[in-house]
Amino acid sequence: MSQDPAPAQDAAAAADGGTPPRVCFRGTLEQHGRTATGFVVPDEVVAQLGTSRRPAVRVTVNGHTYRSSVASMGGRFLLGVSAEQRGLAGVAAGDEVDVDLELDTQPREVEVPEDLRTALEADEQARQFFKGLSYSQQRWFVDGVEQAKKPETRQRRVVAAIERMREGRAQR
């Protein structure tokens, strides 16, 4: 593991409103299954980030920055890299690159598209359920709507999402 020559900031600095912890390491983008890819994050890196065993981070690879979270799976810490992020960073499975992680202390808010927002405003029960969901659960609903290619499919998905929320059912 190659670390940034500048020492990582102490986790307490972030808690006191200082600069969030930042750690660099060199890793190989591994392929898991057919399409999933990610970096194994060394235990020491996660420890330097402080706050938790599943820290929210800002990831920079080849000058491209995106938001993610480190996950603990099978006794290892992993950082997933979607096909979209691989394309934007210009990396592929098997590439060895420098990975810069910065603890992400900013709130995560999902941008709700207008049609879904209007439907949520019209249904108090669904709106309250949606507000109580985690960022990733909210994103699951929004992505389902935004990935529709035809307007009629999009509208059906908005209706289905509102019904699901009204029933108190999230992604899983």
Side-chain angles (χ1 to χ4, degrees):
M1 173 185 79
S2 163
Q3 297 227 340
D4 189 10
Q9 298 292 322
D10 187 79
D16 294 339
T19 304
R22 181 175 157 253
V23 184
C24 295
F25 69 95
R26 188 150 184 86
T28 300
L29 186 58
E30 296 181 359
Q31 185 158 350
H32 303 274
R34 281 188 14 201
T35 60
T37 60
F39 294 103
V40 173
V41 181
D43 293 352
E44 315 82 81
V45 169
V46 175
Q48 285 184 295
L49 290 170
T51 68
S52 76
R53 294 183 53 80
R54 187 181 158 86
V57 292
R58 290 180 51 80
V59 182
T60 302
V61 175
N62 280 353
H64 171 67
T65 302
Y66 65 98
R67 297 174 90 179
S68 189
S69 294
V70 175
S72 178
M73 298 172 79
R76 304 186 310 169
F77 291 109
L78 298 174
L79 180 65
V81 185
S82 69
E84 176 185 11
Q85 301 306 339
R86 290 191 306 269
L88 292 168
V91 295
D95 290 352
E96 185 176 335
V97 295
D98 290 325
V99 180
D100 182 34
L101 299 181
E102 180 181 344
L103 190 63
D104 190 351
T105 58
Q106 297 300 310
R108 295 188 176 200
E109 296 178 8
V110 174
E111 188 173 326
V112 180
E114 187 61 36
D115 50 359
L116 182 56
R117 181 186 345 272
T118 300
L120 285 167
E121 289 170 357
D123 191 308
E124 178 66 22
Q125 189 175 356
R127 181 173 63 248
Q128 289 304 318
F129 181 77
F130 186 79
K131 281 176 53 177
L133 293 173
S134 68
Y135 168 80
S136 59
Q137 290 285 322
Q138 287 182 355
R139 219 178 80 205
W140 181 79
F141 280 106
V142 168
D143 288 349
V145 169
E146 290 187 330
Q147 290 170 358
K149 292 180 175 56
K150 297 179 182 176
E152 55 271 15
T153 303
R154 186 178 177 107
Q155 185 54 40
R156 276 196 314 271
R157 289 185 182 182
V158 167
V159 169
I162 295 298
E163 287 174 7
R164 189 175 181 105
M165 287 183 248
R166 195 178 307 121
E167 294 168 359
R169 295 186 308 137
Q171 179 179 4
R172 295 182 179 97

